[in-house]
Amino acid sequence: MAQWEASINSCGYTNKTKVVNEVREVLFQTKSLRPNVESYVFNDGKMANLLSLSGTIPIHYRRNQYNIPVKMWITKDYPSTPPIGYVTPTKDMRIHKGHPNVNESGTIYMSYPIWHAGSSTLTTLCFTLSENFSKKPPVYRSSSMPIRPIQRAQPVYRPNTGQSQPVQIARPVWQNTPNGQPNGYAQPQQPQLPVRPHPNSHLYADVNPYADTKAQLKEQLLRKARGILSTRTQERLDSQTEEIRKLQAYEFKLKNNQLQLARSKAEMAHEKQLLERTVVELDKQAEHLEKWVKENKEKKIDVDVAIRGRDTWSEQILVEVAKDSAIEDALYALDKALENGKLSLDVFLRHVRRLSKQQFQHRALALKIMQHQQQHAAMQM
């Protein structure tokens, strides 16, 4: 037995069997979850031991797989009340504001479409979270880059053959990227020198006379074809990825249905065995009754001994029930006598108190004997 199964008795679940079965099933389907019994503090300050499932839920976003950290607490009256779920981001993660399924504190909204009352299980809950978080992840990774100085050119003048020529030197300033984050050093701006034409440039043509026009055209067509193929390949890859994701979701549902069918089949087989055993027992009793009726059809039956118990406990129950009924009749007679004025109130109360005590003792003894009979019958099955 796992450690969490041994510790779950301290939680006081109203439907412990269902909780254990669903936790086993979700641990089999989602290997990244880990169960543990911990203390949960409610909003009103009260504390309770609850079973928690902490770990990650895999999602597929833009053809990549990510793991969303979550933690779910199973409530005491589960499944009447849905689990309490949180998204637990790491230090380098932030929660998306305005997410349709998670608030800014990380609490998961356990309502439609995440939780369907009466039909959802822990396994379907994890699948639904994975499906909805794949459409819009609840967290994103925050990155902070260090602020570094950048160099910007500043003109100064240096003497040279009697004339002043502009020369660039570097001065550290701050520069931000379009999103407002600092972005390292900028390259110093180089001075633009005037471009002088070659003295014999008029002797050369503007185009290369040795260039192959057909080869250039072929290269352009190939480049264009490669671009078209790359675009169509990417579109086809995206379509197939989405189809694979849907097929994986269908496979998950089929496996879940297979587990439910296997469990239902086992329960029906057990019920069938119990019904067959009950039918055999009822046939025996019917045969016994028919035999007794035939044997005692012509006999005169004494009412006082017509009904007898099959054992000592049954005989004692008959005696206690008869005494209880007799006291009930006596109480009724006393009530009528008080109503007709034949008894005073103090005499009525004295007799009622005495008879009520006796009636309580007879009823308690009869119930205790019935409990012993049921325990004995269960041990013999």
Side-chain angles (χ1 to χ4, degrees):
M1 179 183 293
Q3 184 177 0
W4 65 270
E5 294 187 36
S7 305
I8 199 175
N9 294 326
S10 62
C11 299
Y13 284 108
T14 56
N15 199 340
K16 174 186 171 184
T17 303
K18 185 173 182 60
V19 172
V20 171
N21 291 336
E22 290 198 11
V23 170
R24 289 176 180 171
E25 183 176 336
V26 75
L27 293 178
F28 176 77
Q29 295 290 340
T30 308
K31 305 295 184 182
S32 57
L33 295 178
R34 295 291 180 269
N36 191 22
V37 176
E38 301 177 274
S39 295
Y40 180 79
V41 181
F42 293 90
N43 294 332
D44 57 359
K46 296 181 180 180
M47 298 179 62
N49 286 339
L50 297 178
L51 179 63
S52 66
L53 296 173
S54 57
T56 59
I57 293 178
I59 68 170
H60 292 84
Y61 182 69
R62 293 181 179 177
R63 302 186 303 278
N64 293 320
Q65 178 174 333
Y66 301 92
N67 294 319
I68 304 300
V70 297
K71 189 166 188 177
M72 292 179 288
W73 301 80
I74 304 175
T75 53
K76 288 184 178 293
D77 52 352
Y78 178 86
S80 299
T81 303
I84 304 172
Y86 298 96
V87 173
T88 56
T90 58
K91 294 182 179 179
D92 56 347
M93 291 183 181
R94 297 293 184 271
I95 296 178
H96 275 294
K97 294 183 179 180
H99 194 276
N101 307 120
V102 180
N103 64 11
E104 296 182 8
S105 64
T107 304
I108 301 174
Y109 299 128
M110 291 296 179
S111 58
Y112 182 85
I114 300 300
W115 180 263
H116 301 263
S119 61
S120 291
T121 63
L122 296 177
T123 303
T124 58
L125 173 61
C126 292
F127 170 74
T128 306
L129 289 176
S130 176
E131 190 175 28
N132 283 269
F133 289 171
S134 295
K135 298 177 183 177
K136 186 175 182 180
V139 295
Y140 64 94
R141 186 175 298 277
S142 62
S143 59
S144 58
M145 300 179 63
I147 300 176
R148 296 179 293 178
I150 60 175
Q151 301 293 338
R152 177 175 295 174
Q154 181 179 5
V156 296
Y157 294 91
R158 180 178 299 173
N160 184 12
T161 64
Q163 295 181 357
S164 296
Q165 299 292 336
V167 181
Q168 303 292 337
I169 65 173
R171 182 173 66 88
V173 295
W174 303 111
Q175 178 175 340
N176 291 336
T177 57
N179 59 3
Q181 297 294 333
N183 189 23
Y185 291 93
Q187 297 295 332
Q189 298 178 357
Q190 300 296 333
Q192 296 182 354
L193 300 178
V195 180
R196 297 180 180 179
H198 193 276
N200 298 324
S201 59
H202 62 283
L203 300 177
Y204 301 95
D206 293 337
V207 297
N208 185 6
Y210 302 102
D212 189 353
T213 306
K214 293 183 178 180
Q216 291 180 354
L217 181 60
K218 180 181 179 181
E219 181 64 25
Q220 292 177 0
L221 293 175
L222 288 175
R223 188 161 49 249
K224 185 176 180 181
R226 282 195 294 267
I228 295 174
L229 288 175
S230 177
T231 302
R232 292 182 178 179
T233 302
Q234 187 64 40
E235 292 177 353
R236 187 173 181 82
L237 179 61
D238 294 342
S239 176
Q240 290 181 349
T241 302
E242 181 66 19
E243 186 176 356
I244 290 173
R245 190 187 67 80
K246 291 181 179 179
L247 291 175
Q248 289 177 345
Y250 293 150
E251 182 184 9
F252 183 82
K253 290 182 178 179
L254 289 174
K255 288 183 178 179
N256 186 26
N257 293 336
Q258 183 181 8
L259 290 175
Q260 293 180 358
L261 288 175
R263 184 166 57 248
S264 300
K265 183 178 179 181
E267 292 176 355
M268 292 176 65
H270 180 66
E271 291 180 0
K272 181 180 178 182
Q273 292 178 357
L274 293 178
L275 290 174
E276 290 176 350
R277 191 181 307 168
T278 304
V279 168
V280 173
E281 184 68 23
L282 291 175
D283 290 339
K284 291 181 179 179
Q285 294 180 4
E287 183 180 355
H288 179 70
L289 288 175
E290 291 177 356
K291 182 179 179 182
W292 185 87
V293 169
K294 290 179 180 179
E295 293 177 353
N296 298 275
K297 188 175 183 180
E298 303 297 334
K299 293 181 180 179
K300 292 183 179 180
I301 300 175
D302 188 0
V303 177
D304 295 331
V305 296
I307 300 176
R308 290 185 177 275
R310 62 182 179 182
D311 52 22
T312 305
W313 284 344
S314 300
E315 291 284 351
Q316 194 172 2
I317 288 178
L318 289 175
V319 173
E320 297 300 327
V321 170
K323 291 180 179 180
D324 181 18
S325 300
I327 293 175
E328 191 70 29
D329 294 339
L331 291 174
Y332 177 77
L334 288 172
D335 185 66
K336 287 296 183 181
L338 178 65
E339 184 179 353
N340 296 329
K342 296 181 179 180
L343 284 179
S344 61
L345 181 60
D346 56 343
V347 175
F348 171 78
L349 292 176
R350 184 170 60 255
H351 287 292
V352 167
R353 188 182 300 111
R354 179 176 57 84
L355 292 174
S356 297
K357 289 181 180 179
Q358 294 179 3
Q359 188 180 35
F360 173 78
Q361 293 175 356
H362 294 317
R363 289 183 178 180
L365 182 58
L367 289 175
K368 189 173 182 180
I369 295 172
M370 290 176 63
Q371 291 177 358
H372 281 291
Q373 282 184 324
Q374 293 174 357
Q375 293 176 0
H376 183 71
M379 292 174 61
Q380 290 182 347
M381 291 182 64

